Amino acid sequence: MVDFEKELRVALRTGKVIMGGNEVLKLASAGKGKLLILASNCPEKLKKEVEYYARLSHIPIYHAPYTSRELGGACQRGHMISSLAILDEGDSEILKVIEPS
């Protein structure tokens, strides 16, 4: 099993990760991104819109078992993060969180 927090930190360091609801929504609606990550307490409206565009664009979504505060901590940020978009995973194996075990 993949250690999500560890792989997220590697992706942040070596890849391209976009943070924030508005940015993730723009990317999802444009069909960009390899993986979208949503916090467990992501606002319902944002969650539904991101899921809709992700479904249309065939972008996988990972519903992280972390609150936005915990996700912000995992990203080593001092603020809450409700959603992330992985554009390039870099040296991480974060895309394996969506593969069935």
Side-chain angles (χ1 to χ4, degrees):
M1 181 147 165
V2 176
D3 181 357
F4 175 76
E5 287 188 46
K6 177 183 172 237
E7 295 304 329
L8 179 58
R9 284 192 295 274
V10 173
L12 287 163
R13 194 173 59 249
T14 63
K16 183 154 174 80
V17 180
I18 304 299
M19 300 176 201
N22 292 333
E23 295 301 316
V24 170
L25 186 56
K26 284 181 203 173
L27 291 168
S29 65
K32 297 180 180 174
K34 293 184 178 181
L35 174 65
L36 304 177
I37 300 169
L38 299 176
S40 62
N41 64 339
C42 180
E44 197 62 34
K45 183 177 185 232
L46 174 64
K47 181 179 172 183
K48 295 229 181 272
E49 289 177 351
V50 168
E51 287 174 341
Y52 172 76
Y53 288 118
R55 216 174 8 260
L56 289 178
S57 303
H58 304 289
I59 301 171
I61 295 179
Y62 178 63
H63 295 276
Y66 301 97
T67 65
S68 54
R69 186 167 305 283
E70 293 167 337
L71 199 53
C75 293
Q76 298 176 337
R77 297 294 182 110
H79 54 85
M80 296 185 288
I81 298 173
S82 63
S83 55
L84 300 162
I86 307 294
L87 299 179
D88 176 22
E89 70 276 13
D91 296 332
S92 79
E93 295 181 353
I94 195 158
L95 297 180
K96 290 187 178 181
V97 299
I98 55 172
E99 294 177 358
S101 39

